[in-house]
Amino acid sequence: MTAIQKSLAEFIGTFWLVFGGCGSAVIAAAFPDVGIGLLGVSLAFGLTVVTMAYAIGHISGCHLNPAVTIGLWAGGRFPANEIPVYIIAQVVGAVAAAAVLYLIASGAPSYDIAVNGLATNGVGEKSPGGYAMGAGIAIEVLLTFFFLMIILGATDGRAPAGFAPLAIGLGLTLIHLISIPVTNTSVNPARSTGPALIEGGIALSQLWIFWIAPIVGAVLAGIAYKIIGGDDKNNAGTES
């Protein structure tokens, strides 16, 4: 696959992740009487990864996440020279998705971005549960670490074939079930960037947290997997 094909796949995949995941939170989570709630939002994020892993995994690896791209590099699974193209495509896809989501959400007369937001991430007063910055950073590092461990293990050539998308999608669902109250769950700098750029304010001022913490967790996972699991360089499986 060419770099253009891979970047377009990452753009489309990340658009779907942000639109599907954040869209479920903004549009459907609190819909009167029949809203999907935190469980539904968690499942929506997981489903975006599962569906895109099957759709574009064979094209780009379906990273959809700068932390995943950098973590795979740290684990010896991804070339450094392709990192910038992937990250740019992911961030642009996320911003485009957030812009379209805002366009649709604002079609409801009751929607106010200052009140309803775009499912942005945050700590302190921006945290859904009022969690402090230290707690937010800790959980983002920890959960991104485990997300990358799941990805690296599930896509290892020694793992059962064909199940990687399910394991990764379910892993992301579990991560959201744990951490939505803390940070609204990032583990993905692109997912955080798109909504923050459209919403602005506190979300934008805290965006640095959701770049640094996930990348730290991902790099630590890449290093850890090389130590405990070895590196199957012949594997080109689906990463999400």
Side-chain angles (χ1 to χ4, degrees):
M1 295 293 172
T2 67
I4 293 176
Q5 288 173 312
K6 291 178 180 179
S7 62
L8 284 174
E10 287 295 304
F11 170 88
I12 292 169
T14 311
F15 182 102
W16 183 234
L17 182 145
V18 172
F19 185 80
C22 296
S24 70
V26 172
I27 297 172
F31 196 79
D33 301 323
V34 293
I36 61 174
L38 297 186
L39 177 60
V41 173
S42 299
L43 184 59
F45 271 100
L47 288 173
T48 63
V49 168
V50 171
T51 52
M52 276 297 114
Y54 283 117
I56 66 169
H58 54 286
I59 300 172
S60 68
C62 191
H63 298 187
L64 318 185
N65 181 340
V68 169
T69 299
I70 294 171
L72 291 171
W73 163 77
R77 298 276 190 88
F78 192 74
N81 66 312
E82 292 189 34
I83 291 175
V85 173
Y86 268 59
I87 291 179
I88 290 170
Q90 292 156 2
V91 171
V92 173
V95 173
V100 173
L101 176 58
Y102 173 64
L103 176 66
I104 294 170
S106 60
S110 61
Y111 178 81
D112 181 347
I113 192 170
V115 176
N116 305 104
L118 285 173
T120 50
N121 302 114
V123 295
E125 62 181 291
K126 189 64 176 172
S127 161
Y131 285 80
M133 181 183 295
I137 291 173
I139 203 165
E140 289 290 332
V141 171
L142 181 66
L143 293 181
T144 311
F145 174 90
F146 279 102
F147 189 40
L148 264 292
M149 290 295 288
I150 293 167
I151 291 170
L152 289 163
T155 59
D156 192 303
R158 298 163 292 182
F163 290 98
L166 294 177
I168 295 165
L170 288 172
L172 189 60
T173 299
L174 175 59
I175 284 167
H176 279 78
L177 288 172
I178 296 167
S179 62
I180 286 178
V182 183
T183 61
N184 219 16
T185 309
S186 172
V187 302
N188 183 337
R191 171 263 184 271
S192 298
T193 299
L197 286 178
I198 302 301
E199 184 177 317
I202 297 173
L204 191 57
S205 70
Q206 294 184 351
L207 182 59
W208 64 272
I209 296 170
F210 302 102
W211 275 86
I212 293 175
I215 288 173
V216 169
V219 169
L220 290 174
I223 296 169
Y225 194 81
K226 288 175 72 173
I227 294 171
I228 68 170
D231 180 33
D232 183 2
K233 295 183 183 299
N234 293 319
N235 172 61
T238 301
E239 292 97 13
S240 301

